[in-house]
Amino acid sequence: QVQLVESGGGSMQTGGSLRLSCVASGRTSSIYGMGWFRTAPGKERESVSSIKWSSGQIYLANSVKGRFTISSDNAKNMVYLQMNNLNNEDTAVYYCAALDYRSVWTYWGQGTQVTVSS
């Protein structure tokens, strides 16, 4: 099994920055990539950003391009999400997830709240 723990959420004013971190533990050898998803109030969960270990391929949602950056430290089994120029639409619970060998997002963290206000 894999356990994921997020940190770094909080409240921020519009235009500010936050950095989310996620650390994986357990059977980390079964992880093929990691990413971030978010669920905003009244909305469905959406994929924000992800990175695949083998190819280094990075995905960024259009809504965050130019503002968010994903990075990873494979040796530490960590993934980060640097969020700049935050706006109200970024308010959501952010979840860290890990990809298994079937390219399925199998493992999930508990989530961390990000609240952006004017």
Side-chain angles (χ1 to χ4, degrees), residues 63-84:
S63 58
V64 305
K65 282 182 179 177
R67 301 187 299 119
F68 290 11
T69 303
I70 191 170
S71 60
S72 65
D73 185 336
N74 293 14
K76 296 182 179 180
N77 297 308
M78 295 195 70
V79 66
Y80 308 94
L81 186 68
Q82 177 67 43
M83 305 185 295
N84 298 329

Side-chain angles (χ1 to χ4, degrees), residues 26-86:
R27 290 190 62 183
T28 56
S29 60
S30 61
I31 296 175
Y32 284 70
M34 294 180 74
W36 294 93
F37 292 74
R38 67 186 181 185
T39 304
K43 295 185 178 180
E44 295 186 353
R45 184 178 66 195
E46 67 168 330
S47 175
V48 177
S49 186
S50 61
I51 182 167
K52 294 185 177 180
W53 289 168
S54 59
S55 64
Q57 181 182 9
I58 289 177
Y59 166 81
L60 274 172
N62 287 335
S63 58
V64 305
K65 282 182 179 177
R67 301 187 299 119
F68 290 11
T69 303
I70 191 170
S71 60
S72 65
D73 185 336
N74 293 14
K76 296 182 179 180
N77 297 308
M78 295 195 70
V79 66
Y80 308 94
L81 186 68
Q82 177 67 43
M83 305 185 295
N84 298 329
N85 194 19
L86 288 161

Side-chain angles (χ1 to χ4, degrees), residues 83-98:
M83 305 185 295
N84 298 329
N85 194 19
L86 288 161
N87 58 53
N88 294 345
E89 287 68 41
D90 296 319
T91 294
V93 177
Y94 284 72
Y95 297 91
C96 176

